[in-house]
Tab-separated table of all heavy atoms in Angstrom:
chain	number	residue	atom	x	y	z
A	33	SER	N	8.264	-19.956	15.629
A	33	SER	CA	7.508	-21.200	15.610
A	33	SER	C	7.119	-21.591	14.188
A	33	SER	O	6.755	-20.742	13.363
A	33	SER	CB	6.224	-21.001	16.425
A	33	SER	OG	5.374	-22.094	16.210
A	34	GLN	N	7.247	-22.849	13.887
A	34	GLN	CA	6.899	-23.385	12.560
A	34	GLN	C	5.371	-23.413	12.396
A	34	GLN	O	4.891	-23.427	11.288
A	34	GLN	CB	7.459	-24.827	12.399
A	34	GLN	CG	8.931	-24.869	12.240
A	34	GLN	CD	9.362	-24.653	10.793
A	34	GLN	OE1	8.588	-24.273	9.955
A	34	GLN	NE2	10.625	-24.861	10.527
A	54	VAL	N	-5.511	-8.811	-1.446
A	54	VAL	CA	-4.403	-9.553	-1.988
A	54	VAL	C	-3.667	-10.111	-0.785
A	54	VAL	O	-3.337	-9.421	0.155
A	54	VAL	CB	-3.445	-8.666	-2.804
A	54	VAL	CG1	-2.269	-9.464	-3.296
A	54	VAL	CG2	-4.173	-8.003	-3.940
A	60	THR	N	7.730	-19.094	7.374
A	60	THR	CA	8.225	-18.726	8.693
A	60	THR	C	9.680	-19.159	8.779
A	60	THR	O	10.003	-20.305	8.455
A	60	THR	CB	7.423	-19.438	9.792
A	60	THR	OG1	6.043	-19.152	9.608
A	60	THR	CG2	7.829	-19.009	11.151
A	68	ASP	N	18.538	-18.154	7.406
A	68	ASP	CA	17.077	-18.277	7.436
A	68	ASP	C	16.413	-16.897	7.370
A	68	ASP	O	15.406	-16.696	6.696
A	68	ASP	CB	16.647	-19.011	8.706
A	68	ASP	CG	16.992	-20.507	8.649
A	68	ASP	OD1	17.142	-21.052	7.548
A	68	ASP	OD2	17.112	-21.091	9.727
A	69	LYS	N	16.979	-15.953	8.081
A	69	LYS	CA	16.424	-14.596	8.043
A	69	LYS	C	16.577	-14.012	6.628
A	69	LYS	O	15.673	-13.341	6.132
A	69	LYS	CB	17.150	-13.696	9.043
A	69	LYS	CG	16.767	-14.000	10.491
A	69	LYS	CD	17.513	-13.053	11.418
A	69	LYS	CE	17.185	-13.324	12.859
A	69	LYS	NZ	17.927	-12.430	13.775
A	72	TYR	N	13.930	-15.472	4.413
A	72	TYR	CA	12.631	-14.877	4.747
A	72	TYR	C	12.514	-13.492	4.112
A	72	TYR	O	11.504	-13.146	3.504
A	72	TYR	CB	12.464	-14.786	6.279
A	72	TYR	CG	11.252	-13.964	6.653
A	72	TYR	CD1	9.988	-14.463	6.505
A	72	TYR	CD2	11.398	-12.652	7.094
A	72	TYR	CE1	8.858	-13.668	6.816
A	72	TYR	CE2	10.296	-11.892	7.431
A	72	TYR	CZ	9.048	-12.388	7.282
A	72	TYR	OH	7.938	-11.646	7.571
A	90	GLU	N	-5.351	-4.097	-10.438
A	90	GLU	CA	-6.731	-3.945	-9.971
A	90	GLU	C	-7.131	-2.453	-9.962
A	90	GLU	O	-8.221	-2.112	-10.422
A	90	GLU	CB	-6.913	-4.497	-8.564
A	90	GLU	CG	-6.915	-6.005	-8.533
A	90	GLU	CD	-8.137	-6.590	-9.203
A	90	GLU	OE1	-9.237	-5.994	-9.198
A	90	GLU	OE2	-8.038	-7.730	-9.724
A	105	LYS	N	-12.544	10.429	-21.177
A	105	LYS	CA	-11.727	11.635	-21.181
A	105	LYS	C	-11.968	12.430	-22.442
A	105	LYS	O	-12.340	11.887	-23.457
A	105	LYS	CB	-10.250	11.252	-21.111
A	105	LYS	CG	-9.851	10.529	-19.895
A	105	LYS	CD	-8.377	10.175	-19.901
A	105	LYS	CE	-8.028	9.395	-18.678
A	105	LYS	NZ	-6.610	9.022	-18.662
A	113	GLU	N	-2.169	13.076	-22.093
A	113	GLU	CA	-1.702	11.855	-21.440
A	113	GLU	C	-0.710	11.118	-22.348
A	113	GLU	O	0.297	10.581	-21.876
A	113	GLU	CB	-2.852	10.975	-21.025
A	113	GLU	CG	-2.466	9.872	-20.067
A	113	GLU	CD	-3.671	9.185	-19.508
A	113	GLU	OE1	-4.410	9.813	-18.698
A	113	GLU	OE2	-3.869	8.027	-19.881
Side-chain angles (χ1 to χ4, degrees):
S33 172
Q34 289 276 10
V54 178
T60 304
D68 289 336
K69 289 180 180 179
Y72 170 76
E90 287 293 329
K105 297 180 182 179
E113 194 171 290

